[in-house]
């Protein structure tokens, strides 16, 4: 009953989710709790979870080192190397010694090597990442970078600022058989049950950089955002609270160009083009 009450509160607060999920959140709440409840006022800060938020991916070995905020590239890679080894553990056991096992060992070594090779630095040159849903999660010319861990169709992105880990984005597929849930509403219900408190619902606001509706929580060190990316996809975004509180100072180079392009990037694009004609006011001043 407690989980149902918590879910009802979250779903009632998230009436805006209806347009994205194909059914109103109030309807979903009615199915879960048996009746609709009036939506409470929107919260100004994310609620604090009753259970600590664990960074992902997790190493199954209880003695293994876990992902932690502030790690550098090599430290994150050392954890991912262990995750890669664990992902091949069952296959390795079934593989006979000899050439087949050697080929599998080579594949594991290649996966470890490729993790660091996938690094993307957000310097002054635009990247293809700008054409993905990740746009808006980083800035240019502020010492930011990203590493990607792929396993099957799932991807986890690690974001760094000043060479330190501060954000993790885990992309997940929704549907029957998915560990996250068949729908975004079901995924939210599982998060409510896990964290023991309704999340704060933030409606999509493209003008302010929020392309999709989000539901968020936090604990002492981490801010979690659950983001819907269509009917069959979602993302779990984890952010370091300490970095968030200092983000404006860390991102000292601001993009001021009206087009949304970093001024240095815009200048590089314009290089070699003829100068634009002077404004009318400038002509008048010269007369």
């Amino acid at each position: 009953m407690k989980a149902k009450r918590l879910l009802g509160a979250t779903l009632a607060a998230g009436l805006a989710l209806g347009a994205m999920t194909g059914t109103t959140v109030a309807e979903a709440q009615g199915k879960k709790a048996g009746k609709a409840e009036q939506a409470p006022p929107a919260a100004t800060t994310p609620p604090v979870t009753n259970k600590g938020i664990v960074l992902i991916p997790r190493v199954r070995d209880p003695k293994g080192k876990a992902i932690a905020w502030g790690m550098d590239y090599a430290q994150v890679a050392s954890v991912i190397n262990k995750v890669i080894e664990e992902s091949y553990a069952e296959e390795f056991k079934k593989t006979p010694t000899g050439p087949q096992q050697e080929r599998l060992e080579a594949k594991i070594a290649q996966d470890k090597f490729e993790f660091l090779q996938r690094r993307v630095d957000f310097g002054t040159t635009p990247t293809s990442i700008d054409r993905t849903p990740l746009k808006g999660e980083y800035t240019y010319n502020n010492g930011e970078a990203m590493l990607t861990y792929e396993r099957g169709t799932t991807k986890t992105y690690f974001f760094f600022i000043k060479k330190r880990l501060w954000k993790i984005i885990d992309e997940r597929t929704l549907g029957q058989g998915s560990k996250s849930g068949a729908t975004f509403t079901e995924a939210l219900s599982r998060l409510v049950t896990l964290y023991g408190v309704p999340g704060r619902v933030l409606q999509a606001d493209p003008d302010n950089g929020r392309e999709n509706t989000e539901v968020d929580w936090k604990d002492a060190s981490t801010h979690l955002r659950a983001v819907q990316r269509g009917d069959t996809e979602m993302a779990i975004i984890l952010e370091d609270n300490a970095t968030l509180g200092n983000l404006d100072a860390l991102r000292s180079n601001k993009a001021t160009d009206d087009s949304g392009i970093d001024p240095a990037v815009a200048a590089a694009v314009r290089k070699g083009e003829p100068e634009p004609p002077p404004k009318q006011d400038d002509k008048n001043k010269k007369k």
Side-chain angles (χ1 to χ4, degrees):
M1 292 301 295
K2 180 180 178 182
K4 289 183 178 181
R5 289 196 298 271
L6 291 171
L7 175 60
T10 294
L11 296 182
L15 289 171
L17 286 172
M20 303 185 69
T21 59
T23 180
T24 66
V25 178
E27 288 173 349
Q29 172 199 306
K31 294 175 184 177
K32 290 283 183 181
K35 62 178 181 178
E37 298 177 14
Q38 185 177 357
T44 56
T45 59
V48 177
T49 63
N50 294 340
K51 181 178 181 180
I53 298 171
V54 177
L55 303 190
I56 47 182
R58 300 173 64 179
V59 177
R60 292 194 295 269
D61 180 2
K63 296 181 181 180
K65 191 173 184 179
I67 294 287
W69 297 132
M71 282 184 165
D72 61 23
Y73 306 120
Q75 289 172 322
V76 171
S78 69
V79 178
I80 296 303
N81 285 348
K82 184 63 178 178
V83 173
I84 291 171
E85 290 172 5
E86 290 181 344
S87 70
Y88 283 99
E90 290 303 316
E91 184 179 353
F92 197 85
K93 289 179 183 178
K94 299 175 183 177
T95 303
T97 56
Q100 286 181 281
Q101 198 171 89
E102 290 174 1
R103 284 194 292 270
L104 184 57
E105 289 173 343
K107 176 65 169 61
I108 294 172
Q110 182 66 22
D111 285 359
K112 293 178 179 179
F113 173 78
E114 289 180 353
F115 175 68
L116 281 175
Q117 296 305 304
R118 293 193 186 101
R119 176 173 145 188
V120 175
D121 290 292
F122 300 108
T124 57
T125 304
T127 70
S128 60
I129 311 300
D130 292 347
R131 298 192 292 272
T132 75
L134 298 176
K135 181 177 173 60
E137 302 292 347
Y138 54 85
T139 63
Y140 285 96
N141 205 27
N142 284 307
E144 298 189 50
M146 181 187 79
L147 287 171
T148 305
Y149 171 51
E150 297 186 32
R151 54 199 186 283
T153 59
T154 303
K155 294 182 180 180
T156 302
Y157 304 94
F158 301 89
F159 289 83
F160 299 79
I161 190 164
K162 314 305 182 189
K163 300 181 180 180
R164 298 295 172 180
L165 177 69
W166 80 279
K167 181 187 295 189
I168 300 170
I169 300 181
D170 196 51
E171 294 183 340
R172 302 180 179 183
T173 300
L174 301 171
Q176 295 300 324
S178 169
K179 293 181 179 179
S180 296
T183 64
F184 187 59
T185 301
E186 184 177 323
L188 287 181
S189 74
R190 296 184 182 189
L191 291 172
V192 170
T193 301
L194 175 63
Y195 294 123
V197 62
R200 176 183 61 165
V201 178
L202 300 170
Q203 297 185 38
D205 187 1
D207 291 339
N208 289 305
R210 189 164 56 247
E211 297 296 329
N212 302 287
T213 299
E214 304 181 2
V215 181
D216 68 345
W217 292 261
K218 70 176 181 179
D219 67 6
S221 61
T222 302
H223 177 223
L224 183 151
R225 297 154 53 203
V227 183
Q228 186 180 26
R229 291 184 176 169
D231 293 336
T232 60
E233 296 179 350
M234 69 173 294
I236 294 294
I237 302 178
L238 307 173
E239 298 167 314
D240 173 34
N241 286 338
T243 302
L244 280 176
N246 194 38
L247 200 55
D248 191 58
L250 289 169
R251 289 174 167 173
S252 56
N253 290 310
K254 312 297 181 184
T256 57
D257 190 273
D258 289 340
S259 65
I261 302 175
D262 185 279
V265 176
V269 172
R270 292 194 301 267
K271 189 175 181 180
E273 294 181 0
E275 290 292 326
K279 295 181 180 179
Q280 189 66 37
D281 289 345
D282 294 337
K283 290 181 178 179
N284 294 335
K285 288 179 182 178
K286 292 179 181 178
K287 290 180 180 180

mmCIF file of all heavy atoms in Angstrom, residues 217-257:
data_model
loop_
_atom_site.group_PDB
_atom_site.id
_atom_site.type_symbol
_atom_site.label_atom_id
_atom_site.label_comp_id
_atom_site.label_asym_id
_atom_site.label_seq_id
_atom_site.Cartn_x
_atom_site.Cartn_y
_atom_site.Cartn_z
ATOM 1 N N TRP A 217 15.294 13.146 -8.466
ATOM 2 C CA TRP A 217 15.515 12.892 -7.041
ATOM 3 C C TRP A 217 16.954 13.292 -6.718
ATOM 4 O O TRP A 217 17.752 13.536 -7.628
ATOM 5 C CB TRP A 217 15.365 11.409 -6.709
ATOM 6 C CG TRP A 217 14.023 10.804 -6.823
ATOM 7 C CD1 TRP A 217 13.138 10.570 -5.798
ATOM 8 C CD2 TRP A 217 13.382 10.282 -8.001
ATOM 9 N NE1 TRP A 217 11.996 9.953 -6.272
ATOM 10 C CE2 TRP A 217 12.124 9.772 -7.630
ATOM 11 C CE3 TRP A 217 13.756 10.203 -9.350
ATOM 12 C CZ2 TRP A 217 11.239 9.185 -8.528
ATOM 13 C CZ3 TRP A 217 12.885 9.642 -10.258
ATOM 14 C CH2 TRP A 217 11.640 9.140 -9.842
ATOM 15 N N LYS A 218 17.297 13.312 -5.430
ATOM 16 C CA LYS A 218 18.697 13.507 -5.044
ATOM 17 C C LYS A 218 18.968 12.848 -3.704
ATOM 18 O O LYS A 218 18.053 12.562 -2.924
ATOM 19 C CB LYS A 218 19.028 15.000 -4.956
ATOM 20 C CG LYS A 218 18.374 15.722 -3.775
ATOM 21 C CD LYS A 218 18.842 17.171 -3.702
ATOM 22 C CE LYS A 218 18.202 17.886 -2.512
ATOM 23 N NZ LYS A 218 18.666 19.287 -2.404
ATOM 24 N N ASP A 219 20.260 12.571 -3.444
ATOM 25 C CA ASP A 219 20.697 12.183 -2.114
ATOM 26 C C ASP A 219 21.834 13.123 -1.734
ATOM 27 O O ASP A 219 21.992 14.189 -2.344
ATOM 28 C CB ASP A 219 21.084 10.689 -2.041
ATOM 29 C CG ASP A 219 22.319 10.343 -2.856
ATOM 30 O OD1 ASP A 219 22.974 11.275 -3.405
ATOM 31 O OD2 ASP A 219 22.643 9.153 -2.966
ATOM 32 N N ALA A 220 22.630 12.771 -0.751
ATOM 33 C CA ALA A 220 23.652 13.690 -0.257
ATOM 34 C C ALA A 220 24.693 14.055 -1.309
ATOM 35 O O ALA A 220 25.264 15.156 -1.274
ATOM 36 C CB ALA A 220 24.342 13.087 0.962
ATOM 37 N N SER A 221 24.957 13.163 -2.265
ATOM 38 C CA SER A 221 26.029 13.421 -3.227
ATOM 39 C C SER A 221 25.589 13.434 -4.685
ATOM 40 O O SER A 221 26.345 13.937 -5.534
ATOM 41 C CB SER A 221 27.129 12.359 -3.064
ATOM 42 O OG SER A 221 26.615 11.063 -3.325
ATOM 43 N N THR A 222 24.408 12.920 -4.988
ATOM 44 C CA THR A 222 24.027 12.703 -6.387
ATOM 45 C C THR A 222 22.635 13.225 -6.707
ATOM 46 O O THR A 222 21.700 13.079 -5.911
ATOM 47 C CB THR A 222 24.103 11.197 -6.725
ATOM 48 O OG1 THR A 222 25.425 10.719 -6.471
ATOM 49 C CG2 THR A 222 23.748 10.932 -8.176
ATOM 50 N N HIS A 223 22.504 13.806 -7.882
ATOM 51 C CA HIS A 223 21.217 14.236 -8.439
ATOM 52 C C HIS A 223 20.861 13.256 -9.555
ATOM 53 O O HIS A 223 21.672 13.000 -10.448
ATOM 54 C CB HIS A 223 21.347 15.655 -9.008
ATOM 55 C CG HIS A 223 20.111 16.167 -9.671
ATOM 56 N ND1 HIS A 223 20.115 16.847 -10.868
ATOM 57 C CD2 HIS A 223 18.806 16.095 -9.300
ATOM 58 C CE1 HIS A 223 18.891 17.188 -11.211
ATOM 59 N NE2 HIS A 223 18.073 16.739 -10.287
ATOM 60 N N LEU A 224 19.662 12.661 -9.504
ATOM 61 C CA LEU A 224 19.218 11.690 -10.515
ATOM 62 C C LEU A 224 18.062 12.266 -11.303
ATOM 63 O O LEU A 224 17.081 12.742 -10.729
ATOM 64 C CB LEU A 224 18.800 10.378 -9.846
ATOM 65 C CG LEU A 224 18.381 9.224 -10.782
ATOM 66 C CD1 LEU A 224 18.678 7.884 -10.118
ATOM 67 C CD2 LEU A 224 16.902 9.279 -11.179
ATOM 68 N N ARG A 225 18.163 12.199 -12.638
ATOM 69 C CA ARG A 225 17.094 12.635 -13.527
ATOM 70 C C ARG A 225 16.647 11.453 -14.381
ATOM 71 O O ARG A 225 17.475 10.824 -15.045
ATOM 72 C CB ARG A 225 17.583 13.758 -14.444
ATOM 73 C CG ARG A 225 17.993 15.027 -13.741
ATOM 74 C CD ARG A 225 19.008 15.821 -14.532
ATOM 75 N NE ARG A 225 18.594 16.082 -15.897
ATOM 76 C CZ ARG A 225 19.453 16.359 -16.890
ATOM 77 N NH1 ARG A 225 20.757 16.373 -16.664
ATOM 78 N NH2 ARG A 225 18.998 16.600 -18.105
ATOM 79 N N ALA A 226 15.369 11.146 -14.361
ATOM 80 C CA ALA A 226 14.789 10.134 -15.244
ATOM 81 C C ALA A 226 14.148 10.884 -16.399
ATOM 82 O O ALA A 226 13.240 11.688 -16.201
ATOM 83 C CB ALA A 226 13.757 9.297 -14.501
ATOM 84 N N VAL A 227 14.623 10.626 -17.616
ATOM 85 C CA VAL A 227 14.204 11.407 -18.785
ATOM 86 C C VAL A 227 13.586 10.486 -19.828
ATOM 87 O O VAL A 227 14.193 9.483 -20.226
ATOM 88 C CB VAL A 227 15.415 12.141 -19.405
ATOM 89 C CG1 VAL A 227 14.973 13.010 -20.574
ATOM 90 C CG2 VAL A 227 16.132 12.974 -18.353
ATOM 91 N N GLN A 228 12.385 10.829 -20.276
ATOM 92 C CA GLN A 228 11.758 10.046 -21.337
ATOM 93 C C GLN A 228 12.246 10.530 -22.692
ATOM 94 O O GLN A 228 12.306 11.740 -22.947
ATOM 95 C CB GLN A 228 10.240 10.144 -21.287
ATOM 96 C CG GLN A 228 9.576 9.221 -22.297
ATOM 97 C CD GLN A 228 8.064 9.294 -22.259
ATOM 98 O OE1 GLN A 228 7.517 10.305 -21.858
ATOM 99 N NE2 GLN A 228 7.393 8.239 -22.662
ATOM 100 N N ARG A 229 12.599 9.577 -23.569
ATOM 101 C CA ARG A 229 13.051 9.917 -24.913
ATOM 102 C C ARG A 229 12.217 9.188 -25.950
ATOM 103 O O ARG A 229 12.750 8.538 -26.844
ATOM 104 C CB ARG A 229 14.528 9.559 -25.065
ATOM 105 C CG ARG A 229 15.460 10.446 -24.246
ATOM 106 C CD ARG A 229 16.880 10.099 -24.512
ATOM 107 N NE ARG A 229 17.810 10.968 -23.834
ATOM 108 C CZ ARG A 229 19.109 10.728 -23.746
ATOM 109 N NH1 ARG A 229 19.595 9.622 -24.293
ATOM 110 N NH2 ARG A 229 19.899 11.554 -23.118
ATOM 111 N N GLY A 230 10.931 9.236 -25.812
ATOM 112 C CA GLY A 230 10.045 8.546 -26.728
ATOM 113 C C GLY A 230 9.337 7.397 -26.031
ATOM 114 O O GLY A 230 9.473 7.197 -24.827
ATOM 115 N N ASP A 231 8.567 6.639 -26.810
ATOM 116 C CA ASP A 231 7.770 5.550 -26.240
ATOM 117 C C ASP A 231 8.622 4.369 -25.791
ATOM 118 O O ASP A 231 8.217 3.618 -24.908
ATOM 119 C CB ASP A 231 6.730 5.067 -27.266
ATOM 120 C CG ASP A 231 5.680 6.128 -27.554
ATOM 121 O OD1 ASP A 231 5.471 6.993 -26.682
ATOM 122 O OD2 ASP A 231 5.088 6.092 -28.650
ATOM 123 N N THR A 232 9.786 4.175 -26.404
ATOM 124 C CA THR A 232 10.569 2.972 -26.118
ATOM 125 C C THR A 232 11.962 3.266 -25.567
ATOM 126 O O THR A 232 12.778 2.366 -25.452
ATOM 127 C CB THR A 232 10.718 2.112 -27.391
ATOM 128 O OG1 THR A 232 11.388 2.891 -28.403
ATOM 129 C CG2 THR A 232 9.360 1.670 -27.909
ATOM 130 N N GLU A 233 12.247 4.515 -25.227
ATOM 131 C CA GLU A 233 13.570 4.852 -24.730
ATOM 132 C C GLU A 233 13.488 5.820 -23.556
ATOM 133 O O GLU A 233 12.578 6.653 -23.489
ATOM 134 C CB GLU A 233 14.431 5.480 -25.836
ATOM 135 C CG GLU A 233 14.721 4.553 -26.999
ATOM 136 C CD GLU A 233 15.544 5.232 -28.070
ATOM 137 O OE1 GLU A 233 15.726 6.462 -27.983
ATOM 138 O OE2 GLU A 233 16.005 4.550 -28.993
ATOM 139 N N MET A 234 14.448 5.689 -22.653
ATOM 140 C CA MET A 234 14.577 6.634 -21.544
ATOM 141 C C MET A 234 16.054 6.741 -21.184
ATOM 142 O O MET A 234 16.881 5.966 -21.668
ATOM 143 C CB MET A 234 13.782 6.170 -20.316
ATOM 144 C CG MET A 234 14.348 4.938 -19.641
ATOM 145 S SD MET A 234 13.513 4.522 -18.073
ATOM 146 C CE MET A 234 13.973 5.920 -17.038
ATOM 147 N N ALA A 235 16.366 7.706 -20.350
ATOM 148 C CA ALA A 235 17.738 7.861 -19.871
ATOM 149 C C ALA A 235 17.716 8.122 -18.378
ATOM 150 O O ALA A 235 16.844 8.831 -17.874
ATOM 151 C CB ALA A 235 18.441 9.005 -20.595
ATOM 152 N N ILE A 236 18.675 7.521 -17.674
ATOM 153 C CA ILE A 236 18.909 7.834 -16.281
ATOM 154 C C ILE A 236 20.172 8.690 -16.244
ATOM 155 O O ILE A 236 21.238 8.268 -16.697
ATOM 156 C CB ILE A 236 19.113 6.568 -15.429
ATOM 157 C CG1 ILE A 236 17.829 5.742 -15.384
ATOM 158 C CG2 ILE A 236 19.563 6.926 -14.012
ATOM 159 C CD1 ILE A 236 16.667 6.416 -14.659
ATOM 160 N N ILE A 237 20.049 9.910 -15.733
ATOM 161 C CA ILE A 237 21.167 10.843 -15.700
ATOM 162 C C ILE A 237 21.560 11.094 -14.248
ATOM 163 O O ILE A 237 20.733 11.523 -13.439
ATOM 164 C CB ILE A 237 20.814 12.164 -16.403
ATOM 165 C CG1 ILE A 237 20.408 11.892 -17.859
ATOM 166 C CG2 ILE A 237 21.979 13.141 -16.341
ATOM 167 C CD1 ILE A 237 19.985 13.128 -18.629
ATOM 168 N N LEU A 238 22.795 10.806 -13.921
ATOM 169 C CA LEU A 238 23.324 10.997 -12.578
ATOM 170 C C LEU A 238 24.341 12.127 -12.611
ATOM 171 O O LEU A 238 25.215 12.156 -13.488
ATOM 172 C CB LEU A 238 23.985 9.715 -12.070
ATOM 173 C CG LEU A 238 23.135 8.433 -12.131
ATOM 174 C CD1 LEU A 238 23.979 7.227 -11.752
ATOM 175 C CD2 LEU A 238 21.936 8.558 -11.195
ATOM 176 N N GLU A 239 24.243 13.058 -11.657
ATOM 177 C CA GLU A 239 25.146 14.207 -11.635
ATOM 178 C C GLU A 239 25.684 14.436 -10.219
ATOM 179 O O GLU A 239 24.959 14.254 -9.234
ATOM 180 C CB GLU A 239 24.410 15.461 -12.108
ATOM 181 C CG GLU A 239 23.909 15.365 -13.545
ATOM 182 C CD GLU A 239 22.916 16.451 -13.904
ATOM 183 O OE1 GLU A 239 21.984 16.693 -13.099
ATOM 184 O OE2 GLU A 239 23.061 17.051 -14.981
ATOM 185 N N ASP A 240 26.934 14.843 -10.145
ATOM 186 C CA ASP A 240 27.573 15.135 -8.874
ATOM 187 C C ASP A 240 27.035 16.455 -8.315
ATOM 188 O O ASP A 240 27.153 17.502 -8.956
ATOM 189 C CB ASP A 240 29.092 15.215 -9.087
ATOM 190 C CG ASP A 240 29.835 15.689 -7.855
ATOM 191 O OD1 ASP A 240 29.403 15.363 -6.735
ATOM 192 O OD2 ASP A 240 30.855 16.390 -8.020
ATOM 193 N N ASN A 241 26.459 16.409 -7.123
ATOM 194 C CA ASN A 241 25.880 17.617 -6.523
ATOM 195 C C ASN A 241 26.914 18.724 -6.343
ATOM 196 O O ASN A 241 26.619 19.911 -6.559
ATOM 197 C CB ASN A 241 25.249 17.289 -5.168
ATOM 198 C CG ASN A 241 23.949 16.531 -5.287
ATOM 199 O OD1 ASN A 241 23.281 16.581 -6.326
ATOM 200 N ND2 ASN A 241 23.573 15.797 -4.243
ATOM 201 N N ALA A 242 28.119 18.365 -5.922
ATOM 202 C CA ALA A 242 29.150 19.373 -5.680
ATOM 203 C C ALA A 242 29.514 20.102 -6.968
ATOM 204 O O ALA A 242 29.676 21.334 -6.984
ATOM 205 C CB ALA A 242 30.385 18.718 -5.070
ATOM 206 N N THR A 243 29.628 19.354 -8.062
ATOM 207 C CA THR A 243 29.952 19.983 -9.348
ATOM 208 C C THR A 243 28.800 20.844 -9.831
ATOM 209 O O THR A 243 29.009 21.947 -10.353
ATOM 210 C CB THR A 243 30.294 18.916 -10.398
ATOM 211 O OG1 THR A 243 31.390 18.125 -9.927
ATOM 212 C CG2 THR A 243 30.669 19.551 -11.725
ATOM 213 N N LEU A 244 27.573 20.349 -9.664
ATOM 214 C CA LEU A 244 26.403 21.142 -10.063
ATOM 215 C C LEU A 244 26.386 22.494 -9.363
ATOM 216 O O LEU A 244 26.062 23.517 -9.960
ATOM 217 C CB LEU A 244 25.109 20.382 -9.745
ATOM 218 C CG LEU A 244 24.672 19.296 -10.718
ATOM 219 C CD1 LEU A 244 23.437 18.588 -10.180
ATOM 220 C CD2 LEU A 244 24.391 19.878 -12.096
ATOM 221 N N GLY A 245 26.748 22.500 -8.081
ATOM 222 C CA GLY A 245 26.743 23.743 -7.321
ATOM 223 C C GLY A 245 27.809 24.727 -7.762
ATOM 224 O O GLY A 245 27.710 25.926 -7.473
ATOM 225 N N ASN A 246 28.820 24.221 -8.471
ATOM 226 C CA ASN A 246 29.927 25.075 -8.913
ATOM 227 C C ASN A 246 30.030 25.132 -10.430
ATOM 228 O O ASN A 246 31.033 25.585 -10.978
ATOM 229 C CB ASN A 246 31.244 24.531 -8.326
ATOM 230 C CG ASN A 246 32.388 25.516 -8.425
ATOM 231 O OD1 ASN A 246 32.203 26.719 -8.246
ATOM 232 N ND2 ASN A 246 33.579 25.013 -8.723
ATOM 233 N N LEU A 247 28.983 24.689 -11.113
ATOM 234 C CA LEU A 247 29.045 24.521 -12.566
ATOM 235 C C LEU A 247 29.235 25.844 -13.304
ATOM 236 O O LEU A 247 29.960 25.914 -14.295
ATOM 237 C CB LEU A 247 27.776 23.820 -13.052
ATOM 238 C CG LEU A 247 27.844 23.138 -14.419
ATOM 239 C CD1 LEU A 247 29.001 22.147 -14.474
ATOM 240 C CD2 LEU A 247 26.538 22.427 -14.723
ATOM 241 N N ASP A 248 28.611 26.887 -12.824
ATOM 242 C CA ASP A 248 28.716 28.170 -13.515
ATOM 243 C C ASP A 248 30.162 28.661 -13.530
ATOM 244 O O ASP A 248 30.648 29.180 -14.535
ATOM 245 C CB ASP A 248 27.814 29.205 -12.842
ATOM 246 C CG ASP A 248 27.684 30.478 -13.668
ATOM 247 O OD1 ASP A 248 27.245 30.385 -14.827
ATOM 248 O OD2 ASP A 248 28.041 31.560 -13.160
ATOM 249 N N ALA A 249 30.867 28.468 -12.418
ATOM 250 C CA ALA A 249 32.270 28.889 -12.356
ATOM 251 C C ALA A 249 33.154 27.980 -13.196
ATOM 252 O O ALA A 249 34.108 28.443 -13.839
ATOM 253 C CB ALA A 249 32.745 28.888 -10.903
ATOM 254 N N LEU A 250 32.855 26.685 -13.208
ATOM 255 C CA LEU A 250 33.653 25.734 -13.988
ATOM 256 C C LEU A 250 33.486 25.969 -15.486
ATOM 257 O O LEU A 250 34.407 25.725 -16.260
ATOM 258 C CB LEU A 250 33.241 24.301 -13.637
ATOM 259 C CG LEU A 250 33.652 23.802 -12.250
ATOM 260 C CD1 LEU A 250 32.951 22.485 -11.923
ATOM 261 C CD2 LEU A 250 35.167 23.636 -12.168
ATOM 262 N N ARG A 251 32.295 26.442 -15.876
ATOM 263 C CA ARG A 251 32.039 26.728 -17.287
ATOM 264 C C ARG A 251 32.192 28.224 -17.526
ATOM 265 O O ARG A 251 31.246 28.944 -17.862
ATOM 266 C CB ARG A 251 30.637 26.262 -17.667
ATOM 267 C CG ARG A 251 30.515 24.738 -17.719
ATOM 268 C CD ARG A 251 29.091 24.282 -17.952
ATOM 269 N NE ARG A 251 29.044 22.854 -18.294
ATOM 270 C CZ ARG A 251 27.915 22.149 -18.414
ATOM 271 N NH1 ARG A 251 26.736 22.728 -18.201
ATOM 272 N NH2 ARG A 251 27.968 20.862 -18.742
ATOM 273 N N SER A 252 33.422 28.689 -17.354
ATOM 274 C CA SER A 252 33.679 30.132 -17.431
ATOM 275 C C SER A 252 33.560 30.672 -18.847
ATOM 276 O O SER A 252 33.257 31.853 -19.042
ATOM 277 C CB SER A 252 35.082 30.434 -16.881
ATOM 278 O OG SER A 252 36.067 29.671 -17.574
ATOM 279 N N ASN A 253 33.815 29.825 -19.854
ATOM 280 C CA ASN A 253 33.671 30.267 -21.245
ATOM 281 C C ASN A 253 32.222 30.085 -21.681
ATOM 282 O O ASN A 253 31.747 28.956 -21.810
ATOM 283 C CB ASN A 253 34.602 29.471 -22.155
ATOM 284 C CG ASN A 253 36.062 29.820 -21.933
ATOM 285 O OD1 ASN A 253 36.423 30.988 -21.917
ATOM 286 N ND2 ASN A 253 36.903 28.812 -21.725
ATOM 287 N N LYS A 254 31.538 31.175 -21.868
ATOM 288 C CA LYS A 254 30.117 31.132 -22.199
ATOM 289 C C LYS A 254 29.899 31.279 -23.697
ATOM 290 O O LYS A 254 30.617 32.020 -24.381
ATOM 291 C CB LYS A 254 29.353 32.261 -21.479
ATOM 292 C CG LYS A 254 29.667 32.371 -19.994
ATOM 293 C CD LYS A 254 29.260 31.139 -19.227
ATOM 294 C CE LYS A 254 29.559 31.295 -17.746
ATOM 295 N NZ LYS A 254 29.266 30.078 -16.970
ATOM 296 N N ALA A 255 28.893 30.574 -24.207
ATOM 297 C CA ALA A 255 28.505 30.713 -25.616
ATOM 298 C C ALA A 255 27.538 31.874 -25.716
ATOM 299 O O ALA A 255 26.412 31.807 -25.239
ATOM 300 C CB ALA A 255 27.857 29.431 -26.116
ATOM 301 N N THR A 256 27.988 32.973 -26.328
ATOM 302 C CA THR A 256 27.172 34.182 -26.384
ATOM 303 C C THR A 256 26.597 34.454 -27.764
ATOM 304 O O THR A 256 25.783 35.347 -27.929
ATOM 305 C CB THR A 256 27.995 35.407 -25.958
ATOM 306 O OG1 THR A 256 29.146 35.519 -26.796
ATOM 307 C CG2 THR A 256 28.466 35.261 -24.505
ATOM 308 N N ASP A 257 27.029 33.684 -28.763
ATOM 309 C CA ASP A 257 26.513 33.878 -30.115
ATOM 310 C C ASP A 257 25.017 33.599 -30.135
ATOM 311 O O ASP A 257 24.537 32.633 -29.552
ATOM 312 C CB ASP A 257 27.229 32.944 -31.096
ATOM 313 C CG ASP A 257 26.893 33.276 -32.541
ATOM 314 O OD1 ASP A 257 25.881 32.752 -33.026
ATOM 315 O OD2 ASP A 257 27.645 34.056 -33.140
#
